Amino acid sequence: MGRQFWRPGNMLYPVPAVLVTSQDSSGRTNIMTAAWTGNLSSDPVTVSVSIRPERFTYGLIRETGEFVLNLTTKKLAFATDYCGVRSGRDEDKFSSLHLTRSPSKEVKVPGIAESPVCLECRVKDILPMGVHDVFIGEVLAVSVDEAYMDETGKFDLAKAEPIAYCHGQYFCLGEQIGKFGYSVRRK
């Protein structure tokens, strides 16, 4: 079995597809899809999202220093794609998609009520990285949709049917094949 060598490219897949909400100081909101996001630290809880400076969301986050990462689901797949190809300069995507602004606890930016998980973030740093800048955000609060709590009070994200982005396509996450530490757990 052979291997091909390609030029450098973004092939670290799959990645979460998130909806980034932002707003300016006058309260105008926007939603943008981002797939270049990730966890950076568990203490303090810190995440990143990479955004091109020409994107409308970029200026909103720079202005206020706040954003919300909203996890996406199978039900939000259409909105996820739409928010990635339409500009908030031209329309209010909350209204166009009939999405509900969910008040945040620690930041002024609203989350998306239809999202199972909303991470409220304050910008700690911005790192220029080629054609994108990486916004480093400290997570100040997390809200979860109670519809995904089981009878014991445990949050069950799998019930929300989360989606991932993989090389230009969206996929619903499927069958669980293990859990952390299962490879070394005693029988």
Side-chain angles (χ1 to χ4, degrees):
M1 175 155 53
R3 295 196 59 83
Q4 293 183 12
F5 287 91
W6 296 352
R7 64 178 174 79
N10 299 102
M11 295 295 291
L12 184 61
Y13 289 120
V15 292
V18 300
L19 292 169
V20 181
T21 49
S22 58
Q23 89 178 15
D24 66 16
S25 57
S26 69
R28 180 177 178 192
T29 58
N30 189 44
I31 309 170
M32 179 193 110
T33 302
W36 294 7
T37 185
N39 295 310
L40 296 176
S41 175
S42 58
D43 187 17
V45 180
T46 310
V47 295
S48 68
V49 62
S50 297
I51 303 173
R52 289 178 180 258
E54 60 269 15
R55 296 294 297 257
F56 182 57
T57 292
Y58 181 95
L60 301 180
I61 296 174
R62 283 218 51 132
E63 179 184 341
T64 64
E66 297 179 342
F67 61 95
V68 177
L69 297 181
N70 303 270
L71 298 191
T72 57
T73 64
K74 187 175 182 179
K75 287 181 183 176
L76 286 170
F78 180 88
T80 301
D81 186 64
Y82 188 93
C83 289
V85 296
R86 300 296 296 259
S87 176
R89 286 183 184 94
D90 305 323
E91 67 181 293
D92 175 350
K93 292 184 236 179
F94 273 102
S95 295
S96 296
L97 294 164
H98 308 288
L99 294 174
T100 310
R101 289 170 177 83
S102 177
S104 293
K105 180 180 176 189
E106 298 294 331
V107 298
K108 292 179 182 167
V109 177
I112 299 172
E114 292 79 6
S115 172
V117 180
C118 303
L119 290 82
E120 301 175 24
C121 304
R122 180 156 301 125
V123 175
K124 300 310 273 181
D125 203 359
I126 303 170
L127 304 174
M129 197 66 58
V131 297
H132 290 78
D133 283 0
V134 180
F135 288 87
I136 310 293
E138 182 176 353
V139 177
L140 304 178
V142 175
S143 66
V144 299
D145 187 335
E146 292 176 338
Y148 302 108
M149 304 296 285
D150 70 15
E151 59 282 346
T152 67
K154 181 181 175 192
F155 184 71
D156 185 359
L157 184 59
K159 282 175 44 180
E161 298 182 296
I163 61 173
Y165 181 80
C166 186
H167 203 59
Q169 299 178 343
Y170 303 98
F171 292 90
C172 192
L173 298 182
E175 174 188 4
Q176 178 182 338
I177 59 170
K179 68 180 195 176
F180 181 77
Y182 85 100
S183 64
V184 296
R185 198 158 274 125
R186 291 190 181 130
K187 303 277 187 223

